[in-house]
Amino acid sequence: MQSPAARSAPRWLRGTLATVEEWVPAALMGVMAVAITADVIMRYVFNHPLAWAGPLSMFCMVWMVYLGSAAVSRRGAHICLDFLSTKLGHRGRATVDIFVELVTLAVLGTICVATVIYLEKARFLIMPGLGFSKKYITVAALVGLLLMVIHSCGHAVRAISGLRNPDYERVNVPIEEVELDDFDTRFVNVVSDELTGKQG
């Protein structure tokens, strides 16, 4: 399920972001699973561990985490406390969201600056087993953070527009809605009804 902000973006941009932030991490998870499985087989069956499997898995994991974080940011599905904001009117909700996004942007900007500074040092460090610079791992953090900045800016712009929109709702997509939208839960609902004694 996409957030309203995501649905308002051009189709080509939605497709590009979905590919980069969701399909690429899925592919990286597959590569990581194959590398770890191959290392286990080579280590315990042939007594010949693969020196590159561990570093490659770490490389995939870092990229997967940061791109996945950007995907969650695009959906507005990060954990949040909305006990107070749901009781406010549309202007109150929009004002709270603007404040939250400004704080988020400040934090992301600070981390981006620190990442750029570290990137200059990381280029001199070589990953064992792979032979290339650790800057390619640090770049994952920078890419993910910049994508989150873009999404946060989009949410902030939408919240500013929401000050004049009486139908304004928060950007976040509750995880239960994502699960219900992405998976067939009919069997789960039947079992739940049987356990609770509800009549379908």
Side-chain angles (χ1 to χ4, degrees):
M1 184 176 201
Q2 293 178 321
S3 69
R7 288 195 295 268
S8 64
R11 182 185 297 270
W12 66 269
L13 182 58
R14 294 203 308 267
T16 301
L17 291 176
T19 299
V20 172
E21 298 173 354
E22 296 181 16
W23 289 104
V24 171
L28 290 172
M29 181 179 287
V31 171
M32 187 171 61
V34 170
I36 292 174
T37 303
D39 187 39
V40 169
I41 293 173
M42 293 299 293
R43 181 183 299 271
Y44 294 105
V45 176
F46 299 101
N47 197 28
H48 185 72
L50 303 174
W52 51 265
L56 177 62
S57 299
M58 182 179 71
F59 176 85
C60 292
M61 172 72 79
V62 172
W63 274 93
M64 185 174 66
V65 166
Y66 280 102
L67 292 178
S69 296
V72 173
S73 177
R74 174 168 51 86
R75 290 171 177 253
H78 280 295
I79 294 173
C80 68
L81 298 176
D82 57 2
F83 176 77
L84 175 63
S85 60
T86 54
K87 300 184 182 306
L88 302 174
H90 72 279
R91 287 182 179 170
R93 292 194 300 270
T95 302
V96 169
D97 283 352
I98 291 168
F99 174 75
V100 168
E101 295 304 336
L102 289 176
V103 171
T104 301
L105 285 169
V107 172
L108 290 174
T110 303
I111 300 174
C112 279
V113 171
T115 304
V116 170
I117 294 172
Y118 180 75
L119 187 60
E120 192 64 26
K121 301 175 182 177
R123 66 191 180 98
F124 297 109
L125 303 174
I126 303 300
M127 290 191 66
L130 294 179
F132 57 72
S133 172
K134 283 190 176 180
K135 71 178 182 180
Y136 296 108
I137 287 184
T138 310
V139 167
L142 190 58
V143 169
L145 289 166
L146 290 175
L147 287 171
M148 283 187 268
V149 166
I150 292 171
H151 298 318
S152 190
C153 286
H155 297 325
V157 170
R158 180 177 176 274
I160 292 171
S161 303
L163 291 170
R164 300 185 305 274
N165 182 5
D167 296 325
Y168 176 78
E169 295 293 339
R170 290 183 57 83
V171 171
N172 66 299
V173 181
I175 190 64
E176 61 269 15
E177 290 187 20
V178 175
E179 292 174 348
L180 289 173
D181 186 62
D182 292 346
F183 303 101
D184 184 0
T185 58
R186 284 175 294 180
F187 176 74
V188 176
N189 290 334
V190 168
V191 173
S192 176
D193 290 346
E194 289 179 356
L195 291 174
T196 57
K198 289 183 179 179
Q199 300 296 323

